[in-house]
Amino acid sequence: ETGVTQSPTHLIKTRGQQVTLRCSSQSGHNTVSWYQQALGQGPQFIFQYYREEENGRGNFPPRFSGLQFPNYSSELNVNALELDDSALYLCASSLDVGAQYFGPGTRLTVT
Amino acid sequence: GQSLEQPSEVTAVEGAIVQINCTYQTSGFYGLSWYQQHDGGAPTFLSYNALDGLEETGRFSSFLSRSDSYGYLLLQELQMKDSASYFCAVSRALYNFNKFYFGSGTKLNVKP
């Protein structure tokens, strides 16, 4: 059974640019959630996708958007990057309301 | 709104027992989860409580009291590898999905 994978591992972007982060969910998991984790803080919920539809959203502006594909993999897109977007971006897949399984994350640095 | 409170840091010695508390305020509460995160790593699922009571998984146990909006994670026979940050997370039922809120984490330092 393959776990959750994310790419890339690290990314450096300039303010104003756009970025796409990718996530492959654990086999059979139809729900993917994205989180932003600043240093020393807990993960902050960005949004969740269930069977290719956005299924809930946290307090993030519309420049944070996403997609989920038929194989349940997912993308997080961030437009007009700001310095405060520098963080660890985590995706987590799940099958039910209990456990979420996190990928290793993408460390985004905005300069 | 919603809030979760947990201690920022706890120190214990190898072999001891430590309890990490979590109090929460949220509407539409569905369940309480616990995650472990080592420095530079991803959060790892430890336990989930939807009903009151104690859930035991090996050296780790988790407790929930819905009436008190309170839970805790109990780690027994502490090992050096248990040094990590521990997060409680509330799942809040909204329509047809669960929205998860994480606390700021408790850094556990295990000393020899």
Side-chain angles (χ1 to χ4, degrees), chain B residues 28-96:
Chain B
F29 174 84
Y30 201 92
L32 184 71
S33 305
W34 288 92
Y35 290 82
Q36 178 193 61
Q37 187 176 30
H38 287 97
D39 284 347
T44 303
F45 171 76
L46 293 176
S47 68
Y48 174 72
N49 294 66
L51 303 175
D52 287 357
L54 191 69
E55 296 278 345
E56 297 180 70
T57 309
R59 296 188 297 114
F60 294 0
S61 303
S62 58
F63 172 82
L64 174 65
S65 169
R66 296 170 68 109
S67 59
D68 295 324
S69 297
Y70 163 77
Y72 66 72
L73 179 70
L74 190 73
L75 299 86
Q76 302 182 74
E77 300 173 16
L78 280 175
Q79 302 176 9
M80 297 298 291
K81 67 178 182 180
D82 297 330
S83 292
S85 291
Y86 292 83
F87 295 92
C88 59
V90 165
S91 59
R92 183 182 166 207
L94 292 172
Y95 304 105
N96 62 339

Side-chain angles (χ1 to χ4, degrees), chain A residues 33 35 37 40-45 48 50 55-59 88 90 94 96-105 107, chain B residues 2 30-31 33 35 37 40-48 50 87 89 91 94 96-105:
Chain A
S33 302
Y35 293 86
Q37 186 177 26
Q41 298 296 315
Q44 298 297 309
F45 177 79
Q48 181 182 91
Y50 171 70
N55 196 34
R57 191 176 183 91
N59 296 326
L88 180 67
L90 296 159
S94 57
D96 54 32
V97 300
Q100 292 188 95
Y101 297 91
F102 284 83
R107 173 71 63 187
Chain B
Q2 54 285 317
Y30 201 92
S33 305
Y35 290 82
Q37 187 176 30
T44 303
F45 171 76
L46 293 176
S47 68
Y48 174 72
F87 295 92
S91 59
L94 292 172
N96 62 339
F97 88 107
N98 279 275
K99 188 172 176 180
F100 291 88
Y101 298 92
F102 280 76
S104 296

